[in-house]
Amino acid sequence: MMRKSFFLVLMVLSLIVRGEDGSRLWLRYDPLSAEKAAEVDQNILHIHADMTKPSLAAGVEELQKAISGFTGRVVPHSTRLQHRSVVMVVGGSRLAGRLGLNAELQAMHRDGFIIRPMVRNRQSYLVIASPTQVGVLYGVFHLIRSIKIDEFSSELTVKSEPKFDVRILNHWDNLNGTVERGYAGRSIWLWNELPGILSPRYKKYARANASVGINAMTPNNVNADPLILSREYLYKVQALANVFRPYGVRMYLSINFASPMVLGGLPTADPLAPAVRQWWIDKVNEIYQMIPDFGGFLVKANSEGQPGPLDFGRTHVDGANMIAEALKPHGGIVMWRAFVYEPDGIDRAKEAYLEFVPYDGQYHPNVTIQAKSGPVDFQPREPFSPIFNGLRKTGVTVEVQITQEYTGWSDHLVYLGLQNAEMLKSETYAFGPGSTVARMTDGSLIPGRVSAFAGVANIGQDANWTGHHFGQANWYAFGRQGWDHTLCPEKIADEWIRQTFTSDPAFREPVREMMMSSLETVIDYMMPLGLHHIFAWDHHYGPEPWCYVPGARPDWLPRYYHQATKEGIGFNRTRTGSGAVDQYEQPLADKFNNLETTPEIFLLWFHHVPWDHKMNSGKTLWDEMAHIYQRGVDSVRSFQKTWDRMEPFVDAERFRHVQSRLRTQIRSAVWWRDAVMLYFQTYSRMPIPLHLERPINDLEYYKQIKLPYLHHN
Amino acid sequence: MMRKSFFLVLMVLSLIVRGEDGSRLWLRYDPLSAEKAAEVDQNILHIHADMTKPSLAAGVEELQKAISGFTGRVVPHSTRLQHRSVVMVVGGSRLAGRLGLNAELQAMHRDGFIIRPMVRNRQSYLVIASPTQVGVLYGVFHLIRSIKIDEFSSELTVKSEPKFDVRILNHWDNLNGTVERGYAGRSIWLWNELPGILSPRYKKYARANASVGINAMTPNNVNADPLILSREYLYKVQALANVFRPYGVRMYLSINFASPMVLGGLPTADPLAPAVRQWWIDKVNEIYQMIPDFGGFLVKANSEGQPGPLDFGRTHVDGANMIAEALKPHGGIVMWRAFVYEPDGIDRAKEAYLEFVPYDGQYHPNVTIQAKSGPVDFQPREPFSPIFNGLRKTGVTVEVQITQEYTGWSDHLVYLGLQNAEMLKSETYAFGPGSTVARMTDGSLIPGRVSAFAGVANIGQDANWTGHHFGQANWYAFGRQGWDHTLCPEKIADEWIRQTFTSDPAFREPVREMMMSSLETVIDYMMPLGLHHIFAWDHHYGPEPWCYVPGARPDWLPRYYHQATKEGIGFNRTRTGSGAVDQYEQPLADKFNNLETTPEIFLLWFHHVPWDHKMNSGKTLWDEMAHIYQRGVDSVRSFQKTWDRMEPFVDAERFRHVQSRLRTQIRSAVWWRDAVMLYFQTYSRMPIPLHLERPINDLEYYKQIKLPYLHHN
């Protein structure tokens, strides 16, 4: 006991003394506790792996680092299995046959893995097997996680397969190094240095993704520079792909639909023009020669000023299928974004559905329609986009935002695993009960199509990758949920905390609780009760419900969304309004159409509601709003208290960093509360309930805040 | 009843509809309620006054305005007294004789007055009598106040005399129109226009002063421009004096000791040099020719760079007496400021005492030593200055600050009537128990000397005169306390609220309660437990306990005062430290010398105390500090709630103005709490108790705040 506590003290001391910048993410690989080390030693003395296979070599390297103090040998694959070994087995290999695993592996998803203790000739092994070498690597990361989060035992038995085939990060990084909606510094892709210089970060990035099952990425912004398809840039892309390959991270590219004109010098990009079609076939062939496992293209077409097939009198089907045909021979896919809306539409929330659902069944099988999770734009809370119940013969991909464009940038602690889960679990009723968004998109209900889950990355050059240390949890959760959307967000948070900070329950439990209430908190202080898009012009950080920019598209102005009048507030999307409710399947359509049956969290999304409407709490709508905004503020204050209590358990560097961000968050929460309530008060003309905390600035002050959109990028 | 409530509704409506800028101060003179009007009508139908006497004419004008709807006649003094008349009687007049009042009046203070109902020949009068016409005016203002605050009845009987002879406002206004430590706009003295143009504000100013008994003023800064004594400026001063005269407000001037050199061209200002002495005699004669009731001079000599007798190898006695001699033939006085401290002193709090007490008894009777109330400088809380027990044969004047240099400018709601009362009631024990500061300075214990009470004005060109509407209460209270220092501050606040806002108890009581806790509140969030002068460099608004200005005088830096170390905090003024405790009389000296018997409100003023010292509450000093700062913040939040509840009772203009200032105050309180606690935490290394609200900014942020010292002046 003495020795053990001494060891623990040493560990804690080393954590305190060493600077911690968060760069190691959840792959910290600190020395194991004596207890854990003993348990691991019981089972793992050697590693058997075919080191000629890059993913297995990567797995060995990872395991050696993770079990620091690992003293065993790496045993060549061909030799006799040693007692107390980890044995890495790829399907179809002789070893797989010897162990009798081939049939089982053949039936599995190519990324799936088995972890299984086996005993042969009185020798015990821990087998990690998969149909593919990357699958084995996923198994290795699972084993490491099990050890780190105290789930390892000699009986560890796992069989795991991913729910989505493509688990893809979309970086919105521009080729000039800026990141659209990036809040963690500039782009990690140093295009000027590529392909000659390979930043060590590229490999770390790939490792981190593999550790949570992310197997795809687009390095460039969906508002794509055509240059990315130039030969010069393809060499750079190739160099990255080579680094990522052992970790199973496949390269995709965001493309500009007008590339044949800009890059190829053609007079048109009409998808039915033979020269255009040929240009794409040639370009795709060129890419696959350089990157044989290239994944495909992500396309933002006819959206917010981007070119697309509609510019040439064609349809989204024409455009998507043309590119799909070029990719098909190589097994590539098209991820065609559904984020379209026209300035003249009566309800932006309806437009993606109207644009894409009529063509359901006409898209090629290797096309997926990638739709933002909600019908508007990554708001703190939206109902799911009805496109997920509208498209029933087409592959559909949910696009979520990992970067916090609308949830306080990297200044606010918000755990988005909760937002993803809320969306994925939403019941669409498209094929009756059980037709959740997850099952509508993961291939369960619409088989034979692309199955994918996409997230807009929150990664930048900041030492801690994501700006806020807790932003790492959103990257982590995205990967874990892409692998298994049935995982409980609380379990994912717990895993992340244990690996990123400590397993001490005195830290883990309150911090997990804080993360678990963080989404509701940001909704409370920003946009509760179905309010949406009352953000400030362009920067989307602070409130600006009064925003008016002369000449601006009406659907880029908050008034379009909140519709506040002296009588009430909210967007009437019922049958007496925009009728958006009828894009939902029954019984949802009727439920949302009726003020009484609409869940209050979506009240002002679907209804224009009188200020004195009686809420479930018995309060008027106005009073309820006031209470909820205050609840949000109170909750951030409680986060501050929670975190300050955590000081003994965290290194000083990360402690201070998070503490400082929470201070920013409380200021921001108060700003939101005051600005929104004072502004809407000019309509409601009702007092903020007099027992509630009062505003700390006048409305005029808040109206004058013009945030310089500079400090994160 | 119907009619009455209709009348009330009209009144309230008129208040709501009409803009209210606060310019009428407490002399609002709105229509009386029907009930009040009836009661007044019962008693006052006519006014008898000798209209050739300017102060009586002023009184008549005031009374007519105050009793709006007054329909009676002003009856010439010489005619027969009418039934139901107010009769204004000046001592020594025939009327006074007829009414048998002369003997009584002769025994009274010249500013005193009698209000007395009299019945002669079945006719009833309300007599207002005084030895002087100004005294009658004071009586008129008393009568008006009685009506306005519902203390009027047919039996109203008052005999009132002021405690201090000189009740003087010191304006720190510069001749260029700026105001040192002014937070209500630029100077109300428009020197460029004078003497030709007389702003209507001058008379309003004089009326307001007379209404609370203020009978003297210096229009110019104690850091005096010699120009004020030039012939050109004396004409301007004379013009002001003429406006003030009917209201009994006598003109004094702040003078520059080097005036004989700067203005007179003499080679020296040595007070013993005959030419210098003659220069002052000539100048004083010149002034009295222009302003026969001129009051005297206020002198800041050898203080903060101002010239003085010490520059010529003389003493303060030499300087003060020389000027006193010039003034004596005219009945003028010298108010010689004791605000002196040298950069090399070991304890600034000791210096005034050391400089002035040794000369006790040597000052001429028409000299008063004007000392700031505390030994340092108008801090939110100080113990009284020991000079008040040190000087026992000399006239001493307490100088208080009405302007809020150290209590949040005109941004913070702080009722300084409390601070004045705390000072004036302080027990010095100079002549045994009962030797309060008030009685040491009002002539009770040191008779035959000047008896005066001085306040640094908070008046500027702002429409509401004082920046903050509640700043008016501090002007009001100063006057009332100068008249009668035994008045309870709560009573004064109540009077002011009733006259300035409304008598409705639903408003009056919570607002009075807010005012009554406002001083303790500002002390809590700025400098509790005897902390002092940890203000920011120069502006004295925000906190800057870390302030370091290279080359600055040490006693201009907060470190000099807080003395924080890893061990503890506070200025050791005990016998093991600077020994300042021994400037106090027993039993105070021993009491302050002992950590255990020092009142906790002065703890860190007198002692350097370990961070873990156990306080009366049982908490450590550090925890106690944290709790008190939070208490201050909570209290301001409660002020906001109180005020927001008052909206139905106040016109919109003043409501919003005060509401907005309270929002500034809460931001400031949080700034103070965070900045001070985070800074001292770098010494204490103890956590802010974890259940308390957390800081909202990092210390580094607060350290970077550099307030531009512009927006009030």
Side-chain angles (χ1 to χ4, degrees):
Chain A
M1 277 308 284
M2 265 298 284
R3 204 164 150 260
K4 187 176 141 196
S5 30
F6 178 69
F7 186 75
L8 280 171
V9 166
L10 271 185
M11 252 185 62
V12 169
L13 273 180
S14 78
L15 283 177
I16 291 168
V17 171
R18 183 174 58 201
E20 286 281 5
D21 58 11
S23 60
R24 293 186 294 159
L25 294 162
W26 48 88
L27 303 173
R28 295 169 59 74
Y29 300 169
D30 283 324
L32 297 176
S33 68
E35 195 176 13
K36 267 193 209 183
E39 179 144 29
V40 170
D41 285 352
Q42 288 282 318
N43 297 279
I44 304 176
L45 270 187
H46 308 291
I47 304 175
H48 281 269
D50 177 354
M51 295 294 279
T52 65
K53 291 196 156 35
S55 299
L56 299 195
V60 168
E61 183 188 341
E62 212 63 36
L63 204 51
Q64 285 178 311
K65 270 196 235 165
I67 311 173
S68 62
F70 177 79
T71 52
R73 292 181 302 127
V74 179
V75 182
H77 193 55
S78 50
T79 60
R80 198 158 167 276
L81 298 185
Q82 307 282 312
H83 183 48
R84 292 155 79 183
S85 292
V86 167
V87 183
M88 300 190 185
V89 182
V90 179
S93 69
R94 201 158 5 138
L95 182 56
R98 251 204 292 158
L99 295 171
L101 290 167
N102 265 330
E104 188 176 357
L105 291 175
Q106 218 161 1
M108 285 179 71
H109 189 286
R110 51 178 286 114
D111 288 347
F113 61 86
I114 295 163
I115 301 177
R116 190 172 294 163
M118 288 184 135
V119 180
R120 297 274 158 109
N121 308 324
R122 287 191 233 147
Q123 310 226 331
S124 60
Y125 325 124
L126 187 63
V127 167
I128 304 181
S130 167
T132 62
Q133 47 169 316
V134 169
V136 173
L137 179 62
Y138 291 143
V140 169
F141 276 115
H142 186 103
L143 171 62
I144 293 170
R145 180 166 56 239
S146 303
I147 294 168
K148 298 292 177 184
I149 68 176
D150 304 314
E151 290 183 355
F152 176 73
S153 82
S154 59
E155 300 305 310
L156 183 68
T157 302
V158 180
K159 186 170 176 179
S160 182
E161 293 169 276
K163 297 279 187 192
F164 294 99
D165 292 339
V166 180
R167 306 168 296 276
I168 185 168
L169 286 185
N170 293 164
H171 293 263
W172 286 359
D173 295 19
N174 298 312
L175 301 186
N176 66 5
T178 60
V179 182
E180 185 170 333
R181 310 307 175 186
Y183 314 106
R186 291 173 69 85
S187 172
I188 52 168
W189 318 122
L190 303 173
W191 296 106
N192 288 343
E193 296 181 4
L194 284 166
I197 299 173
L198 295 170
S199 155
R201 278 218 144 183
Y202 303 152
K203 180 178 162 184
K204 289 177 184 166
Y205 166 83
R207 281 176 62 219
N209 280 328
S211 77
V212 292
I214 293 168
N215 69 346
M217 60 83 73
T218 51
N220 63 318
N221 194 349
V222 288
N223 294 317
D225 189 330
L227 210 60
I228 194 71
L229 291 182
S230 68
R231 189 86 184 163
E232 185 196 348
Y233 269 84
L234 287 177
Y235 277 123
K236 299 169 189 280
V237 170
Q238 179 189 38
L240 287 176
N242 291 341
V243 176
F244 299 164
R245 190 166 295 109
Y247 295 93
V249 179
R250 287 173 77 183
M251 177 64 67
Y252 291 63
L253 289 175
S254 297
I255 57 163
N256 185 303
F257 196 79
S259 296
M261 300 166 73
V262 182
L263 217 58
L266 298 186
T268 180
D270 179 349
L272 300 192
V276 171
R277 302 173 74 86
Q278 190 59 48
W279 188 90
W280 281 111
I281 289 167
D282 293 345
K283 183 52 75 178
V284 167
N285 288 343
E286 180 188 353
I287 294 171
Y288 275 93
Q289 271 197 317
M290 298 169 74
I291 308 166
D293 58 349
F294 183 74
F297 292 139
L298 174 62
V299 193
K300 176 174 181 177
N302 292 118
S303 164
E304 297 183 327
Q306 291 298 318
L310 279 62
D311 301 340
F312 308 96
R314 312 300 178 186
T315 67
H316 285 287
V317 176
D318 297 331
N321 284 353
M322 180 262 300
I323 294 178
E325 283 163 31
L327 287 160
K328 195 180 173 195
H330 307 281
I333 65 168
V334 176
M335 310 187 83
W336 191 271
R337 291 178 88 243
F339 185 60
V340 300
Y341 59 105
E342 288 303 307
D344 51 355
I346 60 150
D347 182 358
R348 171 172 163 183
K350 290 176 69 178
E351 300 199 36
Y353 184 101
L354 292 174
E355 191 83 42
F356 283 88
V357 171
Y359 300 102
D360 191 21
Q362 298 180 37
Y363 302 95
H364 286 333
N366 65 329
V367 171
T368 179
I369 303 301
Q370 180 167 317
K372 294 191 180 185
S373 47
V376 170
D377 194 2
F378 299 134
Q379 299 302 290
R381 172 168 280 142
E382 300 189 35
F384 69 88
S385 169
I387 207 167
F388 297 118
N389 58 248
L391 291 173
R392 300 182 186 186
K393 300 168 194 158
T394 306
V396 193
T397 298
V398 182
E399 177 182 309
V400 298
Q401 215 172 27
I402 307 168
T403 193
Q404 293 175 242
E405 175 179 358
Y406 291 104
T407 49
W409 298 358
S410 59
D411 286 349
H412 294 204
L413 190 160
V414 181
Y415 173 47
L416 294 176
L418 293 159
Q419 204 184 42
N420 299 341
E422 190 170 304
M423 278 295 171
L424 291 167
K425 283 181 192 160
S426 292
E427 182 61 84
T428 72
Y429 297 99
F431 298 105
S435 310
T436 60
V437 170
R439 285 169 54 79
M440 291 296 288
T441 58
D442 73 356
S444 308
L445 295 173
I446 308 173
R449 299 286 181 273
V450 174
S451 140
F453 186 50
V456 182
N458 63 345
I459 295 160
Q461 274 187 26
D462 279 5
N464 72 5
W465 297 85
T466 55
H468 200 304
H469 285 285
F470 278 74
Q472 299 179 359
N474 296 334
W475 179 5
Y476 183 90
F478 169 78
R480 297 286 288 139
Q481 291 173 310
W483 186 272
D484 184 359
H485 55 66
T486 69
L487 279 175
C488 164
E490 188 160 14
K491 156 74 176 150
I492 297 172
D494 193 70
E495 285 180 2
W496 176 79
I497 294 167
R498 282 166 172 265
Q499 295 172 85
T500 309
F501 291 102
T502 167
S503 280
D504 190 328
F507 178 91
R508 183 158 61 91
E509 284 164 17
V511 170
R512 191 181 61 218
E513 200 178 308
M514 174 169 73
M515 289 172 71
M516 289 304 290
S517 65
S518 64
L519 178 67
E520 217 56 43
T521 295
V522 75
I523 293 167
D524 279 354
Y525 66 71
M526 283 188 178
M527 275 167 257
L529 297 173
L531 282 173
H532 53 292
H533 228 321
I534 56 176
F535 288 99
W537 180 258
D538 190 39
H539 66 60
H540 298 169
Y541 180 77
E544 204 172 294
W546 52 81
C547 174
Y548 179 72
V549 176
R553 289 174 57 159
D555 57 353
W556 285 0
L557 293 175
R559 184 177 306 272
Y560 178 94
Y561 300 99
H562 66 66
Q563 303 269 335
T565 64
K566 282 175 193 164
E567 288 69 41
I569 185 172
F571 197 132
N572 182 356
R573 292 191 167 104
T574 69
R575 289 162 197 147
T576 66
S578 80
V581 293
D582 281 325
Q583 291 185 340
Y584 291 94
E585 202 52 50
Q586 290 294 13
L588 288 182
D590 283 351
K591 185 176 173 186
F592 293 154
N593 188 60
N594 182 343
L595 183 65
E596 298 308 320
T597 53
T598 302
E600 286 190 347
I601 57 170
F602 295 133
L603 191 67
L604 306 179
W605 186 280
F606 288 114
H607 300 275
H608 188 76
V609 182
W611 293 111
D612 61 357
H613 170 74
K614 198 169 176 186
M615 304 291 287
N616 293 335
S617 65
K619 297 190 187 77
T620 63
L621 169 62
W622 172 254
D623 280 10
E624 181 90 351
M625 273 178 62
H627 277 83
I628 292 177
Y629 275 99
Q630 182 59 42
R631 187 173 69 195
V633 166
D634 291 340
S635 180
V636 179
R637 290 207 181 113
S638 80
F639 293 174
Q640 289 189 285
K641 290 182 184 174
T642 298
W643 186 251
D644 280 2
R645 285 177 208 273
M646 295 304 112
E647 188 165 8
F649 306 101
V650 201
D651 52 282
E653 193 172 341
R654 287 190 296 172
F655 174 76
R656 293 246 173 277
H657 198 274
V658 172
Q659 183 186 54
S660 182
R661 300 261 161 160
L662 283 169
R663 288 170 180 170
T664 301
Q665 188 170 358
I666 185 61
R667 299 195 305 276
S668 180
V670 169
W671 173 19
W672 270 97
R673 177 196 69 190
D674 289 356
V676 174
M677 290 304 298
L678 289 172
Y679 173 68
F680 287 136
Q681 193 175 37
T682 65
Y683 293 98
S684 81
R685 301 173 173 218
M686 295 164 97
I688 297 165
L690 289 158
H691 64 282
L692 291 180
E693 203 173 289
R694 318 313 293 165
I696 66 165
N697 275 295
D698 301 331
L699 179 58
E700 289 62 35
Y701 168 86
Y702 291 115
K703 283 187 171 178
Q704 279 159 27
I705 297 179
K706 295 289 170 218
L707 205 62
Y709 189 22
L710 295 168
H711 61 296
H712 276 288
N713 205 306
Chain B
M1 276 308 285
M2 264 297 286
R3 202 161 150 264
K4 187 176 144 197
S5 27
F6 178 71
F7 187 76
L8 280 170
V9 165
L10 271 184
M11 252 186 64
V12 169
L13 272 180
S14 77
L15 282 176
I16 290 170
V17 171
R18 183 174 59 202
E20 286 280 6
D21 59 9
S23 60
R24 294 186 294 160
L25 294 162
W26 49 89
L27 303 173
R28 296 169 58 72
Y29 298 169
D30 283 324
L32 296 177
S33 68
E35 196 177 15
K36 269 192 205 179
E39 179 142 30
V40 170
D41 285 352
Q42 288 283 321
N43 298 278
I44 306 177
L45 269 187
H46 308 290
I47 305 175
H48 282 270
D50 178 355
M51 295 295 279
T52 65
K53 291 196 157 36
S55 298
L56 299 196
V60 168
E61 183 187 343
E62 213 64 37
L63 204 50
Q64 286 178 309
K65 270 196 234 165
I67 311 175
S68 63
F70 176 78
T71 53
R73 292 181 302 128
V74 179
V75 183
H77 193 56
S78 49
T79 62
R80 193 151 171 280
L81 295 186
Q82 308 283 310
H83 182 48
R84 291 155 81 185
S85 292
V86 168
V87 183
M88 302 190 185
V89 182
V90 179
S93 67
R94 193 144 27 120
L95 183 57
R98 254 206 289 157
L99 294 172
L101 290 166
N102 265 331
E104 188 176 356
L105 291 175
Q106 218 161 3
M108 283 178 72
H109 191 286
R110 49 179 287 113
D111 289 345
F113 61 86
I114 294 165
I115 300 178
R116 191 170 294 164
M118 288 184 136
V119 180
R120 295 278 157 107
N121 309 324
R122 287 192 233 146
Q123 311 226 328
S124 59
Y125 326 124
L126 186 64
V127 167
I128 305 181
S130 167
T132 62
Q133 47 170 314
V134 170
V136 174
L137 180 61
Y138 292 143
V140 170
F141 276 114
H142 186 101
L143 171 62
I144 292 170
R145 180 166 55 239
S146 303
I147 294 168
K148 298 293 178 185
I149 68 175
D150 305 312
E151 290 183 355
F152 176 74
S153 81
S154 59
E155 300 304 311
L156 184 68
T157 303
V158 180
K159 185 170 179 178
S160 182
E161 293 171 276
K163 297 279 186 192
F164 294 99
D165 292 339
V166 180
R167 306 168 295 278
I168 185 168
L169 285 185
N170 293 164
H171 293 264
W172 285 0
D173 296 16
N174 299 311
L175 301 187
N176 66 6
T178 60
V179 182
E180 185 170 332
R181 309 307 174 187
Y183 314 105
R186 292 173 68 86
S187 172
I188 54 168
W189 317 123
L190 302 174
W191 296 107
N192 287 344
E193 297 182 2
L194 285 165
I197 300 173
L198 294 170
S199 157
R201 277 219 145 185
Y202 303 153
K203 179 177 162 185
K204 290 179 185 166
Y205 166 84
R207 282 175 61 220
N209 280 329
S211 76
V212 292
I214 294 169
N215 68 347
M217 59 84 72
T218 51
N220 63 319
N221 195 349
V222 288
N223 294 315
D225 188 330
L227 210 60
I228 194 71
L229 291 181
S230 68
R231 187 87 183 161
E232 184 196 349
Y233 269 85
L234 287 178
Y235 278 123
K236 300 169 189 280
V237 170
Q238 179 188 37
L240 286 177
N242 291 343
V243 177
F244 300 162
R245 189 167 294 108
Y247 295 93
V249 179
R250 288 173 77 182
M251 178 63 67
Y252 290 64
L253 289 175
S254 298
I255 56 163
N256 186 303
F257 196 79
S259 296
M261 301 167 72
V262 181
L263 217 60
L266 298 185
T268 179
D270 180 349
L272 301 191
V276 171
R277 301 173 74 87
Q278 191 58 48
W279 188 90
W280 281 111
I281 288 166
D282 293 344
K283 183 50 75 179
V284 167
N285 289 343
E286 180 188 354
I287 294 172
Y288 275 92
Q289 272 196 315
M290 298 170 74
I291 308 167
D293 58 350
F294 184 74
F297 293 140
L298 174 62
V299 194
K300 177 175 180 176
N302 292 117
S303 162
E304 297 183 327
Q306 292 297 319
L310 280 62
D311 301 339
F312 308 96
R314 311 302 178 186
T315 67
H316 285 286
V317 177
D318 297 331
N321 284 352
M322 180 261 299
I323 293 179
E325 283 164 31
L327 287 160
K328 197 181 172 194
H330 308 281
I333 65 169
V334 176
M335 311 189 83
W336 191 270
R337 291 177 89 245
F339 184 61
V340 302
Y341 58 105
E342 287 302 309
D344 51 354
I346 60 148
D347 181 359
R348 172 173 163 184
K350 290 176 69 176
E351 299 197 36
Y353 183 102
L354 293 173
E355 190 83 40
F356 284 89
V357 172
Y359 300 102
D360 191 22
Q362 298 180 38
Y363 302 95
H364 287 333
N366 65 329
V367 171
T368 178
I369 303 301
Q370 179 168 319
K372 295 191 182 187
S373 47
V376 169
D377 193 2
F378 298 134
Q379 298 303 290
R381 172 167 279 143
E382 300 189 35
F384 70 88
S385 169
I387 207 166
F388 298 118
N389 58 248
L391 290 173
R392 302 183 186 185
K393 302 170 193 155
T394 306
V396 193
T397 298
V398 181
E399 176 181 308
V400 298
Q401 214 172 25
I402 307 168
T403 192
Q404 292 174 240
E405 175 180 358
Y406 292 104
T407 49
W409 296 359
S410 61
D411 286 348
H412 294 205
L413 190 161
V414 182
Y415 174 46
L416 293 176
L418 294 159
Q419 202 184 45
N420 298 341
E422 190 171 303
M423 277 295 171
L424 290 167
K425 285 180 191 161
S426 292
E427 183 60 87
T428 74
Y429 297 99
F431 298 105
S435 311
T436 60
V437 169
R439 286 169 54 77
M440 292 296 288
T441 58
D442 72 358
S444 310
L445 296 172
I446 309 172
R449 297 289 181 273
V450 175
S451 139
F453 185 50
V456 182
N458 62 345
I459 294 160
Q461 274 188 25
D462 278 4
N464 71 5
W465 297 85
T466 55
H468 200 305
H469 284 285
F470 278 74
Q472 298 179 359
N474 297 333
W475 180 5
Y476 184 91
F478 168 78
R480 298 286 288 138
Q481 290 172 313
W483 187 274
D484 183 358
H485 55 66
T486 69
L487 279 174
C488 165
E490 187 162 13
K491 157 75 176 151
I492 297 172
D494 193 69
E495 286 180 0
W496 175 80
I497 294 168
R498 282 166 172 266
Q499 295 171 86
T500 309
F501 291 101
T502 167
S503 280
D504 189 328
F507 178 91
R508 180 160 62 90
E509 284 164 18
V511 169
R512 189 182 62 217
E513 200 178 307
M514 174 168 75
M515 289 172 71
M516 288 304 290
S517 64
S518 64
L519 178 68
E520 216 58 43
T521 294
V522 73
I523 293 167
D524 278 354
Y525 66 70
M526 282 187 178
M527 274 168 258
L529 297 174
L531 282 173
H532 52 293
H533 227 321
I534 55 176
F535 287 98
W537 180 257
D538 189 40
H539 67 61
H540 298 169
Y541 180 76
E544 201 172 296
W546 53 80
C547 174
Y548 179 72
V549 176
R553 290 174 56 159
D555 57 353
W556 284 0
L557 295 176
R559 185 177 306 272
Y560 178 94
Y561 301 98
H562 66 66
Q563 301 267 337
T565 63
K566 281 174 194 166
E567 288 71 40
I569 184 171
F571 197 132
N572 182 355
R573 291 191 167 105
T574 69
R575 289 161 196 148
T576 66
S578 80
V581 293
D582 281 326
Q583 290 185 340
Y584 290 94
E585 202 51 50
Q586 290 296 13
L588 288 182
D590 283 351
K591 185 176 171 184
F592 293 153
N593 189 59
N594 182 342
L595 182 65
E596 298 307 321
T597 54
T598 302
E600 286 191 347
I601 58 170
F602 296 132
L603 190 69
L604 307 180
W605 185 280
F606 288 115
H607 301 275
H608 188 76
V609 182
W611 293 111
D612 61 356
H613 171 74
K614 198 169 174 184
M615 305 291 288
N616 294 337
S617 65
K619 296 190 186 77
T620 63
L621 169 62
W622 171 253
D623 280 10
E624 182 91 350
M625 275 178 61
H627 276 84
I628 292 176
Y629 274 98
Q630 182 60 42
R631 188 172 69 196
V633 166
D634 291 341
S635 181
V636 179
R637 290 209 181 112
S638 80
F639 293 175
Q640 288 189 282
K641 290 183 185 176
T642 298
W643 187 251
D644 280 1
R645 285 177 208 273
M646 296 304 113
E647 187 165 9
F649 306 100
V650 200
D651 52 281
E653 192 171 342
R654 288 190 296 171
F655 174 76
R656 293 249 172 276
H657 197 275
V658 172
Q659 183 186 52
S660 182
R661 300 262 161 160
L662 283 169
R663 289 171 181 169
T664 301
Q665 188 170 357
I666 185 61
R667 298 195 304 276
S668 180
V670 169
W671 172 19
W672 271 97
R673 177 196 69 190
D674 289 355
V676 174
M677 289 305 297
L678 288 172
Y679 173 68
F680 287 137
Q681 192 176 36
T682 65
Y683 293 99
S684 80
R685 301 177 174 215
M686 294 163 97
I688 297 165
L690 288 159
H691 64 284
L692 292 179
E693 202 174 287
R694 319 311 296 164
I696 67 162
N697 275 294
D698 301 331
L699 180 57
E700 289 61 36
Y701 168 85
Y702 291 115
K703 283 187 170 177
Q704 280 159 26
I705 297 180
K706 294 291 171 215
L707 205 63
Y709 189 21
L710 296 168
H711 62 294
H712 276 289
N713 206 306

